[in-house]
Amino acid sequence: MPSKKNGKKKSAATTKVPKNSSNTIATDSSDAFSSISDISRFLFDYSALQDDALPHDLPFVGPIALVDQRQCNASGCKVVHGRGLVVTRDVSPGECLFAVPALLSAPVDEVRRRFLEIHETKRVESELNADCSYGEELEAISEQILLEQVQSLCQSPGAGGGKKEEFRRRILDSFLSQMRSDDVPQTKMDVLLAKSSSKSNNGRNLENETILRIIRKNAFGPDYHSYHVIADWWLHNSSKPDVNSVYGRLLGVYPLAAMVNHSCCPNAVRIFGSLPSSMTNKKWHYLKSQGGQRHECMIVHANTALSKGTEIRWSYLPPTTPFNSRRQSLQAKYGFDCQCTRCTNEQKVTSYVSSDEWILLSKQLDHWWESRRTNSQQNSQQNSASTMIESLEQWFTTGKVISSELQRFMRVGYASIYIEFFNEALSLPSIKSSRENNDDITNLLKLASQMHFSFVSCNNASTEHLSILHLCYDLVSLLHTRALSNSDNTVNTVSQVRFWTEQLKRVHMIRYGSLGEKLENIRFVMKHSKAVLRNRDGWYAVNAHFI
């Protein structure tokens, strides 16, 4: 799911909007936000969209401003490094901050064609390597296609420039605006959105390495599945005719989104809706060059209350990445060590806990997580998820130096193992049988509740958070069903069902924002997320491909 971001940036801090800044946009708010009050058609009704029937004119820029560290220094505010986006008024959870289509993207059908062609050649030449990372190979192909698109933009226009050349210049300038702020000072919002051109010719002699560096640090890769999972799916399902229709993008360029700084405790969440492939409006004619696939639109919502002047930030890595892996990846790919609250707390574990028991357990947890991330078969040789989670929870109980806040951060980092643990537990006879007592279910619900509140404090409304909430609802529903069948008092179970129903609804409305006036839209999204997140290969079984 990772987004790739500017390596110059570090974890974000709270900021104040600088006054009289040419680089900011005074976006007020209520009027602008009211015009994007229903994003449901981007999510599950996009096939009905027409050029003149969009829910909102795109790109949409909500109550945000682009600020530069140098401007902040002059006005007394603080941006962690380079440029950043801040809110220009108080914002509620679930409010839309911006919505933008991809400036450029690697067409899924072309990426898949090249990937399968390479592997067919390897099969013929007997060069398949069991240790080869197919995910990294797929990522490299996606980067190469974007490189070719930018190279085409850099070519001289020749005869017949005019409006076409002006629009090509806008796209190129928008792409270049993602470079370091030292290289492209005084970046304007309109340039990031390809609404205007800087009138420069800086891109005409771009070297390939420079282009690739911009792509690798700023383009957004798969948001739900990793490259490893997609590569494995394509290799084993290559004969299915609709195998590429479930993805709208493998790698896309969103220059405005590239301005968002990093934090492992994000205050914004992004989703990807779909635009119709039939769009021929002059404003979007560049989309036609990407083939007949559906085109994605990034929609960003606040996942917590933000006061005026707060810097928008999200994680450049999957939120459920353990501390050691986060630190290594951020340093290797983006060149910085994150100093957010989560990282500074988790770093304390290595500084004041030196027991052999923890060192061994942390290695096992990290290795298990890594093999799941890469879809490795080595996972079958490891300890079960239940064994490791039981060991971790026991360590939390006996390790008096581990604060409740730190436990929440660590649970989020190992959330994929917790989810695997829950799935293992749900298959136990004691859970399935209605004749057993409720202790096992109650203990599972207690731990799942701790996971929910961990996500509320860190990575609220992430996909993993939704998965945990669906689990909590199913567990209390099971308790309620047993109470009914045994003629027990249901006052407590009814209360719990209502509580978890409200939590599900609230978090979905934060992640997906306003879904219009139809209550059925909210029910559909909740049902859809459960189908995707709580079923094996659920992503491939649904008709609307968003999460």
Side-chain angles (χ1 to χ4, degrees):
M1 117 179 231
S3 66
K4 296 186 175 181
K5 304 294 303 168
N6 237 332
K8 57 182 174 49
K9 299 180 182 179
K10 298 182 180 180
S11 52
T14 300
T15 65
K16 296 180 180 179
V17 181
K19 298 179 180 179
N20 302 320
S21 167
S22 61
N23 264 13
T24 63
I25 289 184
T27 307
D28 195 1
S29 63
S30 55
D31 291 342
F33 177 67
S34 63
S35 59
I36 193 167
S37 58
D38 182 3
I39 69 163
S40 61
R41 298 184 72 186
F42 286 123
L43 300 182
F44 50 84
D45 196 24
Y46 55 85
S47 60
L49 290 175
Q50 301 297 325
D51 295 344
D52 57 351
L54 290 173
H56 187 275
D57 188 29
L58 296 177
F60 166 78
V61 178
I64 64 174
L66 175 65
V67 298
D68 187 279
Q69 187 181 39
R70 289 163 294 194
Q71 298 167 340
C72 290
N73 290 338
S75 60
C77 69
K78 183 179 180 182
V79 171
V80 65
H81 190 84
R83 297 156 295 185
L85 296 179
V86 299
V87 294
T88 57
R89 62 167 172 83
D90 292 349
V91 171
S92 300
E95 284 198 40
C96 187
L97 301 174
F98 61 89
V100 290
L103 184 79
L104 300 168
S105 68
V108 177
D109 51 357
E110 176 61 13
V111 175
R112 177 172 173 264
R113 185 192 66 79
R114 295 190 190 187
F115 177 72
L116 294 179
E117 188 176 81
I118 290 173
H119 282 275
E120 182 60 32
T121 301
K122 286 184 176 181
R123 286 190 186 95
V124 172
E125 298 177 357
S126 300
E127 292 181 0
L128 284 175
N129 185 346
D131 296 327
C132 174
S133 174
Y134 297 142
E136 293 175 2
E137 197 172 78
L138 190 60
E139 183 176 16
I141 293 172
S142 302
E143 292 172 350
Q144 177 62 31
I145 291 175
L146 282 186
L147 170 64
E148 293 167 5
Q149 292 181 7
V150 178
Q151 288 173 330
S152 176
L153 292 171
C154 292
Q155 294 175 358
S156 299
K163 292 183 178 180
K164 184 176 181 181
E165 167 58 15
E166 169 61 19
F167 195 77
R168 183 164 65 175
R169 185 193 299 274
R170 289 183 187 179
I171 296 176
L172 181 59
D173 284 350
S174 180
F175 176 81
L176 292 175
S177 66
Q178 300 172 111
M179 297 173 70
R180 294 185 311 149
S181 55
D182 291 340
D183 297 329
V184 283
Q186 302 300 314
T187 305
K188 295 182 178 180
M189 186 79 80
D190 280 356
V191 175
L192 286 168
L193 298 172
K195 287 185 174 181
S196 65
S197 170
S198 65
K199 305 298 181 182
S200 69
N201 292 311
N202 293 336
R204 298 305 178 196
N205 298 311
L206 273 181
E207 295 181 354
N208 288 349
E209 280 304 312
T210 300
I211 297 173
L212 283 173
R213 186 164 58 249
I214 297 173
I215 291 171
R216 288 167 179 165
K217 290 185 176 181
N218 295 278
F220 289 77
D223 200 59
Y224 177 56
H225 285 148
S226 67
Y227 283 110
H228 302 281
V229 171
I230 295 172
D232 183 71
W233 174 260
W234 281 354
L235 286 174
H236 295 93
N237 297 273
S238 59
S239 61
K240 295 186 178 181
D242 61 343
V243 70
N244 61 334
S245 65
V246 298
Y247 302 108
R249 159 201 53 91
L250 287 193
L251 192 62
V253 175
Y254 299 82
L256 178 60
M259 298 300 105
V260 178
N261 273 317
H262 169 81
S263 172
C264 298
C265 284
N267 56 19
V269 61
R270 63 181 176 272
I271 58 174
F272 290 90
S274 296
L275 300 173
S277 59
S278 60
M279 273 190 166
T280 56
N281 187 302
K282 291 181 180 179
K283 186 175 183 180
W284 303 106
H285 73 269
Y286 71 91
L287 290 175
K288 292 193 296 182
S289 65
Q290 299 176 13
Q293 69 184 77
R294 61 187 175 91
H295 309 289
E296 289 193 329
C297 173
M298 180 191 291
I299 306 167
V300 179
H301 297 114
N303 72 354
T304 188
L306 304 177
S307 59
K308 181 179 178 179
T310 300
E311 184 174 11
I312 301 166
R313 53 201 187 272
W314 56 35
S315 179
Y316 295 177
L317 304 172
T320 55
T321 305
F323 171 73
N324 289 332
S325 296
R326 293 203 312 275
R327 173 141 294 192
Q328 292 170 8
S329 296
L330 289 172
Q331 184 57 243
K333 294 182 179 180
Y334 310 118
F336 66 85
D337 290 329
C338 180
Q339 300 298 323
C340 72
T341 301
R342 181 180 174 189
C343 284
T344 53
N345 271 273
E346 289 191 74
Q347 189 175 16
K348 295 176 183 178
V349 176
T350 59
S351 63
Y352 61 55
V353 176
S354 59
S355 68
D356 293 338
E357 179 186 5
W358 168 246
I359 293 174
L360 176 61
L361 177 59
S362 63
K363 286 182 178 180
Q364 291 175 338
L365 290 164
D366 289 350
H367 181 63
W368 194 100
W369 177 88
E370 177 63 22
S371 54
R372 290 288 290 185
R373 182 188 72 84
T374 58
N375 212 30
S376 171
Q377 297 300 316
Q378 295 178 2
N379 193 46
S380 60
Q381 302 174 5
Q382 299 174 3
N383 292 329
S384 67
S386 59
T387 299
M388 287 185 290
I389 293 304
E390 288 168 3
S391 298
L392 180 59
E393 288 295 324
Q394 184 178 8
W395 186 77
F396 283 155
T397 303
T398 57
K400 293 182 170 54
V401 293
I402 305 301
S403 67
S404 297
E405 181 183 44
L406 181 50
Q407 290 180 31
R408 289 194 293 268
F409 289 150
M410 294 177 69
R411 286 191 180 104
V412 170
Y414 293 119
S416 58
I417 310 181
Y418 276 90
I419 291 174
E420 185 73 15
F421 162 72
F422 289 129
N423 291 338
E424 288 179 4
L426 289 173
S427 64
L428 295 175
S430 60
I431 300 295
K432 293 181 176 181
S433 174
S434 60
R435 292 189 295 270
E436 297 288 340
N437 62 46
N438 294 329
D439 290 348
D440 286 348
I441 299 177
T442 301
N443 290 334
L444 277 181
L445 180 59
K446 181 179 179 180
L447 184 55
S449 300
Q450 291 177 325
M451 289 297 298
H452 160 62
F453 291 111
S454 295
F455 277 111
V456 169
S457 66
C458 174
N459 290 281
N460 189 30
S462 62
T463 54
E464 294 85 357
H465 189 189
L466 295 185
S467 180
I468 290 295
L469 279 170
H470 282 299
L471 171 69
C472 290
Y473 178 83
D474 287 346
L475 290 172
V476 296
S477 297
L478 184 55
L479 287 174
H480 181 62
T481 300
R482 286 190 177 184
L484 286 173
S485 63
N486 296 329
S487 300
D488 294 337
N489 191 325
T490 61
V491 173
N492 183 49
T493 57
V494 167
S495 176
Q496 290 188 71
V497 168
R498 288 175 177 170
F499 173 81
W500 288 111
T501 300
E502 184 59 31
Q503 295 304 305
L504 264 173
K505 178 181 176 182
R506 181 185 62 83
V507 173
H508 276 80
M509 293 184 71
I510 290 174
R511 180 173 179 83
Y512 298 107
S514 178
L515 296 167
E517 298 179 355
K518 296 180 180 179
L519 182 60
E520 187 59 33
N521 286 348
I522 299 175
R523 291 172 178 162
F524 175 86
V525 170
M526 291 168 63
K527 182 179 179 180
H528 170 85
S529 68
K530 181 177 182 179
V532 172
L533 298 171
R534 296 300 303 158
N535 293 283
R536 185 178 296 276
D537 294 334
W539 175 258
Y540 304 104
V542 295
N543 293 323
H545 292 101
F546 70 90
I547 192 64

